[in-house]
Amino acid sequence: MEFQTVHLFVFDTLSDWEPAFAVAGINNPAFQARPQRYRVRTVGLTTDRVRTMGGVTVLPDMGLDDLEPSRSAMLILPGGMTWDEGGNTEAVEMARNFLATGVPVAAICGATAGLARAGLLDGLQHTSNTPEYLKATNYEGAAYYLDQAAVTDGDLITAGGAAPLEFAREIFRRLDVYETATLDAWYGLFKTGDPAYFHALVEASTGGGS
C-alpha cells in the first residue's frame, strides 16, 4: 500500500507537546483502521535544522518550497513563539493554498493567530487559546469563534494550546485513522488514565466492540 503523507511544519520555538499525540497516532499502526495508510514528514521553511521550544533539534525532511497540496493528506501547524512575533508567513500562505484546493489544515495555539492575521479564520468556525488572544490580531472572524477545545469546520481544524488531545482527536477523525469506537476509547484513556479505556481500546480495535 502506498503511504499518504501528512506534513508537519517545524520551526524554531515549535511547541513540542502540541502535535505529539497526533504525530504518534498517525505513525503508529497499532489500533488503526487501515494500518500504514499514512506517514508523517516534517517540512521547514528550508531544510536547515530547527530547535523546538523543548530544545529538541529537528532536521526537516523537506523545505516548504517543495510542498504541494496535491501530494499531501494534511498540513499540521503547531504553535510556538514565532507566530506571535509575526513569523512563519510562508507557512500561512501554504495553508491558504491547502484550503483553497480542499486539502485539510490543522492549526493549534499560536498557529491559529497566524491564520487569523491572514484572514483565513474570517468565515470559518474556529477556536484558539482565548477569544482575546485572536482579537489581538485584529482579525474579522470573532463571530465565528467557538469556546471549545478543538473545532473542525470543513477542511480547517483549530485548537487551543492546552488541548493537544482534542487536536489529535479531530485530526484522527478527519483522516479516518481509527474506527469510531477505537477513537472514543483512545481519547478516554489518555484523557482520564482509566485502565478500563485501555481494555475498551483493545476490544474495539480487534472487532469486539463492533
Side-chain angles (χ1 to χ4, degrees):
M1 179 185 298
E2 185 176 351
F3 283 102
Q4 296 181 53
T5 303
V6 175
H7 289 92
L8 172 69
F9 179 56
V10 296
F11 56 96
D12 287 326
T13 78
L14 181 154
S15 298
D16 308 58
W17 62 94
E18 292 176 351
F21 286 105
V23 169
I26 292 168
N27 274 336
N28 184 355
F31 310 123
Q32 291 187 4
R34 293 169 58 187
Q36 299 183 325
R37 179 181 178 185
Y38 297 106
R39 65 175 180 177
V40 177
R41 294 193 72 196
T42 53
V43 53
L45 295 176
T46 68
T47 54
D48 293 341
R49 66 185 67 237
V50 300
R51 192 170 180 83
T52 71
M53 191 179 296
V56 176
T57 299
V58 178
L59 186 64
D61 292 315
M62 61 188 297
L64 203 60
D65 287 345
D66 295 322
L67 179 59
E68 298 178 14
S70 63
R71 301 178 66 181
S72 181
M74 176 180 286
L75 176 62
I76 300 177
L77 303 176
M81 292 183 293
T82 305
W83 299 105
D84 292 330
E85 297 166 354
N88 294 338
T89 56
E90 299 93 334
V92 171
E93 290 309 305
M94 182 60 68
R96 189 190 303 278
N97 293 338
F98 266 64
L99 293 173
T101 54
V103 183
V105 172
I108 184 170
C109 194
T112 64
L115 299 186
R117 289 189 188 91
L120 295 178
L121 304 185
D122 289 350
L124 295 171
Q125 291 184 332
H126 60 273
T127 192
S128 183
N129 299 329
T130 64
E132 292 74 20
Y133 176 68
L134 288 189
K135 286 179 181 178
T137 68
N138 296 315
Y139 84 131
E140 299 180 0
Y144 294 91
Y145 188 95
L146 299 180
D147 189 15
Q148 299 176 13
V151 171
T152 297
D153 187 352
D155 293 320
L156 178 67
I157 297 170
T158 52
L165 272 173
E166 289 77 9
F167 185 56
R169 181 175 60 177
E170 294 304 303
I171 289 172
F172 296 154
R173 191 176 280 152
R174 185 66 174 77
L175 294 175
D176 196 26
V177 173
Y178 301 120
E179 300 288 354
T180 299
T182 305
L183 180 57
D184 290 345
W186 174 89
Y187 179 74
L189 175 63
F190 285 99
K191 189 68 174 180
T192 70
D194 185 341
Y197 282 111
F198 176 76
H199 299 298
L201 178 60
V202 173
E203 183 178 11
S205 65
T206 56
S210 60

